[in-house]
Amino acid sequence: MILEMGHASHPGQKCDYNGDHYSGVQHWVTDAQLAEKGWLFLLADDVGGDASSESSRHAVNRLSQLYYTSSSSSIRQSLQQAITRVNNEIYEESRRHQSAKCVMILAAALHGNQLEIANVGRVRAHQFHKRRLRQLTPDRSWEEVRPTALDTPESRDAPDKAPPARALGVSRRVLIDWAHASLAVGDTLLLTTDGLHETVSASEMQEALASRAKPQEIAESLVATAAARGNEDNATALLLTARERGRGGSLPAIASWVLWAVSGIAILAALVGLATWSGSFSLRRPPPTPSPTATLAQRTQTLPAVLHPTATPPNTATPTATLPPTATARPVMRTVVLTATPPPATATVTPTPIPVLYNAPRVIAPYNDEAVYQGENNVLVWQWYRQLQADEVFEIRLWKEGTQPPARGALQTSAMEFRFGVPSGLAGKYFWNVYVVRRSGSGSEIVSVPSETHFFWWMGPRPQPPTATPQPPTPVPPTNTPVPPTDTPQPPTDTPMPLTPTPLP
């Protein structure tokens, strides 16, 4: 089974900013993580966000990182732990910046053909099975998403006792709706935000899915329909259709087999032609050039070791006087030695190997230009597309504005986050990036491309609000005014009563 994905989004008629964010493919996830946790698809809706808000993007990226790096082998437990932690991070950030944040998110983890869904808020999940559309997640009201009881002074003063919410960043306690389904071949999983499913009816979505168009075309059609009807909210659709890997006898499978056959014949013909050309080239090859040693041996054999004198032919008798014989000078015997000059030595050039570096880590937090306080958000967070080896760690460079950036970092960790601190009195603007190094006995070497350089403002400890100074008690003059005695003698009231004799029986 293979998945075909389609996605589309529109900011709405009255919104310049699209607060929806989705993710379907994480390039940094390893094969081992996919085998254990499956594929994770996320759709987040930032309620009331503006162009400066990155809450939905942070929720998607951070939840994906926490899910795949969780130590739990349970998919549901990994989702719950990741959602709870992301909720706490967004909630604490909203309290630090005194700005309300509310993010609704739906996470769908597909492992094999089993689908586990965790929904927080009003994002919907639908399954199109056997030409019928079925809603997998329940609808929630805005009162459930963000209870009005959170606005009371009691909830603001005691956040641990505030009621739970069905959105991230609203309360310290978050409620999750769970759903489970099996995804068969031919089924489609449709995730939508409320801006879409409140404008396009379920019957219209079912009709679009039944058209058997490509998932990307269906997603664009649904979003375009919502925008044409004057939808004011962000509208997003994310589709996943399960396809079969080439059925026997089907047209795609036959075309695939024909393509493989033609490719095989072409490759075989190319190999035969190459072999023929190589053989003909070897037949016409010129004779090898003799080496200097062989030439020297041949020349030595052709020269005599000693030169003997040549005999003088006898003189023929002539009528003239006979001349006396002339002595023939004996030639000088010389030994000819040929010395072969060796060719100049050719310098052997050893190519310097070019190191192959890993891809760069991706910085998550703090955001650029964010204010960082001691004991609150002083955590550097990043993510990487693979797992570290036993001899590899992350190395962090951190420097203050106006100083020379260090050649190497002084902070190392094997986790994808690092809580740091800056000495007091050194508040200001700081830069940082992260990369991977490999340790060895002689030190360490950089084995990845450095991440992008981000910056933040170190503020130190957050100043406490001023408390009321106790005032000394104001002396109060005594009010003990003497009261005159009121003991006025009263006349006796003991009036004698006459005796009434009681007759005896």
Side-chain angles (χ1 to χ4, degrees):
M1 183 176 67
I2 59 176
L3 295 177
E4 187 176 356
M5 188 175 69
H7 51 84
S9 185
H10 191 273
Q13 299 297 331
K14 294 186 178 181
C15 298
D16 297 331
Y17 166 74
N18 193 343
D20 294 349
H21 192 71
Y22 52 87
S23 174
V25 178
Q26 294 82 16
H27 68 279
W28 52 270
V29 179
T30 63
D31 294 338
Q33 291 173 329
L34 287 177
E36 181 183 5
K37 300 293 181 67
W39 291 96
L40 182 64
F41 304 95
L42 300 167
L43 177 57
D45 184 0
D46 189 355
V47 180
D50 54 15
S52 62
S53 177
E54 292 286 338
S55 299
S56 61
R57 184 184 300 273
H58 171 77
V60 168
N61 294 337
R62 186 72 169 132
L63 197 151
S64 178
Q65 178 201 8
L66 293 174
Y67 172 75
Y68 281 110
T69 57
S70 173
S71 59
S72 175
S73 59
S74 171
I75 292 180
R76 175 170 289 198
Q77 187 175 1
S78 299
L79 285 174
Q80 186 169 10
Q81 292 175 353
I83 292 174
T84 302
R85 182 165 177 178
V86 172
N87 174 68
N88 291 336
E89 291 177 358
I90 298 178
Y91 178 75
E92 293 301 330
E93 183 182 357
S94 67
R95 288 177 62 87
R96 287 194 302 269
H97 296 281
Q98 298 297 317
S99 61
K101 296 184 180 296
C102 180
V103 179
M104 302 183 296
I105 192 168
L106 187 144
L110 180 63
H111 190 268
N113 67 336
Q114 299 300 309
L115 193 63
E116 192 75 34
I117 298 176
N119 186 28
V120 180
R122 295 164 56 86
V123 183
R124 279 187 191 174
H126 310 79
Q127 183 183 15
F128 183 72
H129 177 69
K130 293 183 178 181
R131 302 184 64 83
R132 297 189 66 87
L133 188 66
R134 178 171 67 101
Q135 183 175 332
L136 300 177
T137 54
D139 291 333
R140 296 297 179 180
S141 64
W142 285 111
E143 176 62 25
E144 293 176 295
V145 172
R146 193 183 188 286
T148 55
L150 293 172
D151 298 329
T152 60
E154 293 79 7
S155 298
R156 290 193 295 266
D157 297 339
D160 293 333
K161 298 180 181 180
R166 295 188 180 273
L168 303 181
V170 176
S171 173
R172 283 187 176 172
R173 293 185 296 164
V174 60
L175 299 178
I176 306 173
D177 290 318
W178 298 95
H180 183 83
S182 298
L183 197 66
V185 174
D187 290 0
T188 298
L189 176 66
L190 172 61
L191 310 181
T192 60
T193 57
D194 54 355
L196 179 67
H197 56 248
E198 289 182 354
T199 308
V200 182
S201 64
S203 60
E204 291 174 322
M205 289 189 286
Q206 177 175 301
E207 182 179 356
L209 292 169
S211 64
R212 295 186 177 276
K214 294 183 178 180
Q216 183 62 34
E217 297 175 355
I218 298 175
E220 294 175 355
S221 174
L222 294 176
V223 171
T225 302
R229 294 178 180 176
N231 174 53
E232 298 181 359
D233 196 4
N234 306 149
T236 303
L238 178 63
L239 282 84
L240 301 168
T241 301
R243 306 290 190 193
E244 191 173 1
R245 292 181 179 270
R247 306 174 73 180
S250 63
L251 184 60
I254 294 175
S256 177
W257 279 107
V258 171
L259 179 61
W260 276 106
V262 173
S263 302
I265 294 173
I267 293 174
L268 182 61
L271 292 177
V272 172
L274 181 62
T276 305
W277 177 79
S278 176
S280 63
F281 176 77
S282 62
L283 291 177
R284 296 191 300 269
R285 185 175 301 169
T289 304
S291 62
T293 305
T295 304
L296 175 62
Q298 294 174 1
R299 291 180 179 178
T300 305
Q301 292 175 3
T302 58
L303 294 177
V306 179
L307 299 179
H308 297 281
T310 304
T312 304
N315 296 329
T316 305
T318 59
T320 59
T322 303
L323 297 177
T326 305
T328 304
R330 186 176 182 176
V332 180
M333 294 183 295
R334 296 176 181 177
T335 303
V336 180
V337 180
L338 299 179
T339 303
T341 304
T346 304
T348 304
V349 179
T350 303
T352 303
I354 300 175
V356 178
L357 301 178
Y358 296 136
N359 291 340
R362 182 179 180 183
V363 173
I364 301 299
Y367 307 124
N368 271 336
D369 206 26
E370 181 178 357
V372 176
Y373 292 91
Q374 175 71 33
E376 296 184 6
N377 59 332
N378 55 321
V379 181
L380 305 176
V381 183
W382 62 91
Q383 63 184 16
W384 201 35
Y385 72 102
R386 61 184 299 272
Q387 290 181 336
L388 292 174
Q389 301 298 323
D391 56 347
E392 295 174 348
V393 292
F394 294 105
E395 186 171 286
I396 306 169
R397 291 197 314 161
L398 180 65
W399 67 96
K400 194 175 186 296
E401 183 183 27
T403 62
Q404 183 67 25
R408 292 287 300 271
L411 309 174
Q412 291 187 349
T413 178
S414 58
M416 284 187 282
E417 60 180 30
F418 186 83
R419 182 173 292 275
F420 68 99
V422 177
S424 60
L426 296 179
K429 185 177 182 179
Y430 283 82
F431 298 88
W432 74 284
N433 63 1
V434 61
Y435 46 86
V436 183
V437 299
R438 181 177 292 123
R439 293 173 173 174
S440 61
S442 58
S444 62
E445 60 174 345
I446 300 176
V447 294
S448 80
V449 179
S451 68
E452 294 182 358
T453 301
H454 280 219
F455 68 92
F456 59 87
W457 295 92
W458 176 257
M459 310 301 292
R462 183 182 292 275
Q464 298 296 328
T467 56
T469 304
Q471 300 293 334
T474 303
V476 179
T479 57
N480 297 327
T481 305
V483 180
T486 56
D487 297 337
T488 305
Q490 299 293 331
T493 56
D494 298 337
T495 305
M497 301 298 293
L499 297 177
T500 304
T502 304
L504 293 175

